[in-house]
Every structure is written in C-alpha cells, then in structure tokens.
Amino acid sequence: MNKRQLLATAVFAMADGAAAQSSFSIYGEVDTSVVHISMPGNSVTGMASGGRSGSNIGVRGVEDLGGGYKLSFQLESSYKADGADHEIKPGGRIKLQGRFGEFQTGKLSNMLSDMRDGFNPTGGAGIIGINASNMISGTAIGSINGSSSWSSPNSIAYLSPNMGGFSGRLGYSFGEQAGHDRLGSNTMVRAGYSSGPVQLATAYALARGGTEAEGVSYRTFQLGASYKVRGFQPTLLYVTERGNSKRIDLYSAGWKFYQGSSEYRMGYTWFQNKVQDSSNSQRLALGYSYALSKRTRIFCSVAHMRNEKKASRKLAGTLSYSVTAGTNLSGQEIGLYHSF
C-alpha cells in the first residue's frame, strides 16, 4: 500500500470514528505577538507565542452513554506559534461524566495554574502573566510539574458535582520512577464556591522532588476571591510556594472590566522572598484587548517589574532574555489571537 492509500485509509477511518461519536470537532488557537523588553543599558525585541492564552490544536468528542452518563476524549498539542524552537507538547485525556461528578485521566489541566491564572487579574499569559521566573522555579519540584506548569501529565482526577455552589477536585500525578514511586509525584486538592457574582477558591499541593539520594517536599497553597458586577470584576489572589529551604509568597490585587468588544485588565503583584533579604519584587501590569470578531482579538499589554538589589525576576512570556540582580525592567506587547 503506497503513501496515498495509507493517507486515504486514515482519513476514512477518522471520519467513520467521528460519525460514531455523539459529537466530534477540531479546534485550536493561534496566538502571536511582538514583545519589547527594556532594562537600563539593555533591551530585546522579538516574536513571542502565547501573549493572550497560548497556541494549540486538538480534536475532541463526546459519546452519550445513556442514563445521564457521557464519555468524552480530547487529544491536544500545544506549540509555539513563532516556531522559534519548534516546541510541541502533545497530550490526551479521557473523561467519564455522570451525576456522581467527573473522573479524568491522562495529561490534565493543572488545577493550581488554572486557579492562579483565573484569580490573577491579568491572567497567566504574556508579559502580564505569572510564570516560573516569578515564583520558585519551573523545575523546582524536580519532576514534570513545575510551578509554572499548565498541565499535569500522568494524572488522574475527580471533580465533584456542583452542590449549592460548592465544588471540589482531587488529583494525583504519578512520578513513574521504578523503586521510587513517590519521587516526582504530585497530589493536589482544590475547593471552591461560586454563586452569582461571587467566586471563592482555595487549593493545596504536595509534591515530591529532589533526587533518589535526597528527596525534597514542595508545598503550594493558594487562596483567591473575585466579585463581578456589571462587567467589572475585582480580584484578589494569595499564593505561597515553599521547599528546599526556599519560600516565595505572592500577593495580587486588581480588576477586569468588560465593555462591549473591549476588555481591560489591571493588576498589582508583590513577590516576597521569605528566606532572603532584599529579594522582593513589585509588578504593575495593564492589558487591553478588542474583539475584531467572535473568534479574533487584537491585544496589547504593558508591564513594569521593580526588583530589589538581590532579586532578578523577569516578566512572563516566551521571549528569552536574562536579568541581573537589582535590575528594573519594562515590557510592551502587541499581538493577534484567533480561535477556531
């Protein structure tokens, strides 16, 4: 069988499988921007990916099992739309839904980053987002899940049904290291309340990192609150990460405002190093986006990070650069986002 025949067989097989589903769709996002970062005596300008929410492509489907039960699947690959390093991160998940709630397995959404980005008024993407450079480290726990991770591979999770506005989630990521099963594992729990304009949530995680010779436990705790009225939504967020003789606390306050096709965001964040003096940082971020259509938005952002003399925190985003201790920096970003 030649390559054309193989391709045709694969296409027909996919179409036949799709017809058997209650629903089947292909979806994705393309998110590109131009970023300028400036510091005293130095600056960098370049393309970035994920200034608003990230770029990905995937397929998903749902099968109605009857009796109020549904089985859904999702296969997705995230990528950097600027193609700078050809980074592609594939993954898949399957969910069983019913009156009992929902069971998930596979490469799942990280409940900690979901909450952190949801209650951070400027979100989790672009120069106005929160990333690993702001907290302990992207590889702090010595496993596949860093403090900036947007996903949890090798995971299982349970989501409770909504009970009078209250809901909960419990998840576990396997370390998958022979003879050291706990090493690289991650246990997470989240609880929330949502009723009308009020949203409250808290989350906790215990991760096992380090090496075979010396394991290190890392703990993360988050607490968030928001209130939405007439398009205006003030938000508060507290995050603490600690482990391996390190501790970073984050305090964030700000608001989101929606008016017609326009979206405005403003956030102030204070990063406090609890174990080292003169290592705190303050960040002010502003964001604006305008809907050109239902699926397309143009956006722009500005941010400023003030570092104390021993701090070297960067602004978030995919643009690569370094910051020396005690250096203040500013950033501007403009981009285009489209979903399909």
Side-chain angles (χ1 to χ4, degrees):
M1 186 178 292
N2 59 36
K3 292 183 179 179
R4 290 185 178 181
Q5 289 174 319
L6 285 172
L7 179 60
T9 301
V11 170
F12 282 120
M14 181 177 291
D16 185 54
Q21 301 293 327
S22 298
S23 67
F24 180 87
S25 61
I26 299 175
Y27 68 95
E29 298 171 297
V30 184
D31 186 337
T32 60
S33 60
V34 176
V35 177
H36 176 73
I37 303 293
S38 58
M39 296 165 275
N42 192 18
S43 66
V44 59
T45 303
M47 291 290 298
S49 178
R52 178 170 172 81
S53 68
S55 299
N56 59 69
I57 185 169
V59 296
R60 57 189 167 204
V62 179
E63 183 179 10
D64 192 338
L65 303 176
Y69 296 96
K70 292 183 179 180
L71 186 72
S72 64
F73 75 90
Q74 188 173 359
L75 303 174
E76 181 178 289
S77 291
S78 61
Y79 63 93
K80 290 186 177 180
D82 56 358
D85 55 9
H86 307 289
E87 181 180 358
I88 298 177
K89 297 181 178 179
R93 68 198 67 161
I94 192 166
K95 306 176 184 179
L96 179 62
Q97 301 163 292
R99 290 182 290 271
F100 58 84
E102 182 177 308
F103 282 105
Q104 302 180 350
T105 182
K107 184 179 182 181
L108 306 180
S109 175
N110 187 300
M111 66 180 74
L112 295 179
S113 60
D114 283 352
M115 178 179 160
R116 182 193 64 201
D117 297 345
F119 285 96
N120 174 36
T122 50
I127 63 170
I128 59 176
I130 297 174
N131 74 345
S133 300
N134 306 143
M135 302 300 288
I136 289 182
S137 169
T139 57
I141 64 173
S143 75
I144 49 181
N145 296 303
S147 65
S148 69
S149 176
W150 281 274
S151 62
S152 296
N154 308 325
S155 294
I156 56 174
Y158 168 72
L159 286 71
S160 75
N162 189 302
M163 298 171 288
F166 292 93
S167 62
R169 178 173 177 177
L170 177 65
Y172 182 78
S173 295
F174 293 90
E176 298 188 350
Q177 299 187 37
H180 303 274
D181 288 342
R182 291 186 60 200
L183 197 61
S185 66
N186 198 334
T187 303
M188 294 176 282
V189 60
R190 175 176 170 176
Y193 175 79
S194 179
S195 178
V198 177
Q199 285 192 338
L200 303 170
T202 183
Y204 174 81
L206 171 62
R208 190 68 175 174
T211 64
E212 295 180 6
E214 184 179 2
V216 179
S217 294
Y218 291 86
R219 292 173 172 82
T220 302
F221 174 77
Q222 301 182 7
L223 186 63
S226 71
Y227 186 88
K228 187 175 182 179
V229 56
R230 295 182 180 178
F232 182 71
Q233 186 176 9
T235 65
L236 296 172
L237 174 67
Y238 167 71
V239 180
T240 179
E241 293 186 5
R242 62 188 71 185
N244 198 22
S245 302
K246 298 178 181 179
R247 176 178 170 181
I248 302 295
D249 285 7
L250 175 152
Y251 305 87
S252 177
W255 48 260
K256 308 173 188 177
F257 180 60
Y258 308 90
Q259 184 178 47
S261 299
S262 295
E263 176 190 81
Y264 306 85
R265 296 171 180 257
M266 189 282 289
Y268 167 79
T269 308
W270 178 32
F271 304 94
Q272 186 178 29
N273 190 321
K274 303 294 286 189
V275 297
Q276 184 179 32
D277 294 334
S278 303
S279 298
N280 302 331
S281 303
Q282 299 177 66
R283 188 199 64 173
L284 180 65
L286 301 169
Y288 171 78
S289 73
Y290 181 82
L292 300 174
S293 69
K294 184 178 179 180
R295 298 180 178 273
T296 304
R297 301 188 77 97
I298 187 170
F299 62 90
C300 59
S301 308
V302 295
H304 178 76
M305 180 76 79
R306 181 183 178 185
N307 286 312
E308 294 185 354
K309 63 181 181 179
K310 294 182 181 179
S312 56
R313 289 183 183 84
K314 301 189 296 183
L315 297 173
T318 62
L319 192 63
S320 179
Y321 61 96
S322 60
V323 177
T324 57
T327 301
N328 300 331
L329 59 153
S330 297
Q332 300 84 40
E333 182 170 19
I334 183 168
L336 194 62
Y337 166 86
H338 176 74
S339 64
F340 59 89

